[in-house]
Amino acid sequence: NKSIEMMTLIIKIILMSMYFANTDIGIIEEKGYKIIQEIDGIEIRHYVESTCASYYDNEGDNPFTVLADYIFGGNQIGQKIEMTSPVAINMFGNEEMIFLMPKSITIENHPKPNNDAVKIFTSPNRLTASITFSGYADNQACLNNKQQLIDILKENLISHKNDFQLLVYDPPYKKFNRTNEIIVSINGRL
């Protein structure tokens, strides 16, 4: 239902605003990638392996709040973890939210979450196609950019794995020069 999806997105934006408004985050570490090629306004990228924390809202909790609690010390050793950018939201399956961990946090040394529903995993090396857009990442903007990305990939005979994600780089209170992306894994060799 589109109205439920829109309401969910609005709630996520409000909670992210509250988080960023009350946090002195300074410079945020961004996930690294290498641009392999640019084609018709999209980028083909190689993302390196990284450690992530994810949460799916299966109990009525807000995913952003749950993950923010984890990085603010809601873990078994009370360790605070730097916020990274972007925040990813799966556009398939259960629409889980994913925080990328700073490079100093690995699958071997991450603090165990207090909330057992927070999953820590390794995102593998992968090739992706990405389209960037500005403004707020509302449902229509996401759908339009996803379709544009699909069309460009199809025109260029590039197959994808249908694992689309929305990447949000900016806090919701930022009004201008916002950066969002839709990415999808593509088939090919690294």
Side-chain angles (χ1 to χ4, degrees), residues 103-151:
K103 290 176 178 57
S104 61
I105 302 293
T106 66
I107 200 72
E108 291 83 20
N109 73 3
H110 74 276
K112 184 175 180 345
N114 290 341
N115 183 333
D116 289 336
V118 173
K119 303 298 178 207
I120 308 299
F121 68 96
T122 300
S123 176
N125 283 315
R126 64 183 179 146
L127 286 176
T128 68
S130 141
I131 189 165
T132 302
F133 63 102
S134 60
Y136 284 95
D138 63 30
N139 197 41
Q140 194 59 52
C142 291
L143 291 175
N144 291 345
N145 282 282
K146 177 183 173 184
Q147 188 59 54
Q148 186 177 354
L149 180 57
I150 290 169
D151 293 344

Side-chain angles (χ1 to χ4, degrees), residues 29 50-53 70-71 81 84 99-103 105 120:
E29 182 178 333
S50 60
T51 304
C52 303
Y70 171 66
I71 67 170
I81 301 169
T84 62
F99 279 14
L100 305 165
M101 297 291 100
K103 290 176 178 57
I105 302 293
I120 308 299

Side-chain angles (χ1 to χ4, degrees), residues 1-112:
N1 183 324
K2 289 194 184 251
S3 62
I4 292 173
E5 290 175 5
M6 183 58 74
M7 184 56 95
T8 301
L9 183 60
I10 291 169
I11 290 169
K12 288 176 184 176
I13 290 171
I14 290 169
L15 288 169
M16 287 175 73
S17 293
M18 292 177 357
Y19 163 73
F20 283 109
N22 294 314
T23 307
D24 182 19
I25 56 176
I27 297 174
I28 297 176
E29 182 178 333
E30 291 189 17
K31 183 176 183 186
Y33 59 83
K34 180 180 178 185
I35 297 172
I36 305 297
Q37 186 177 6
E38 294 184 29
I39 305 169
D40 297 335
I42 69 169
E43 291 179 349
I44 305 300
R45 299 175 177 171
H46 170 222
Y47 277 88
V48 297
E49 181 178 277
S50 60
T51 304
C52 303
S54 72
Y55 178 78
Y56 166 63
D57 176 18
N58 59 357
E59 297 181 16
D61 295 324
N62 179 277
F64 187 87
T65 303
V66 172
L67 290 172
D69 178 65
Y70 171 66
I71 67 170
F72 289 149
N75 53 67
Q76 290 189 346
I77 59 173
Q79 179 181 350
K80 292 185 178 181
I81 301 169
E82 280 183 63
M83 180 74 187
T84 62
S85 177
V87 171
I89 301 168
N90 286 343
M91 297 176 71
F92 63 94
N94 61 17
E95 297 184 4
E96 73 184 316
M97 182 174 281
I98 302 165
F99 279 14
L100 305 165
M101 297 291 100
K103 290 176 178 57
S104 61
I105 302 293
T106 66
I107 200 72
E108 291 83 20
N109 73 3
H110 74 276
K112 184 175 180 345

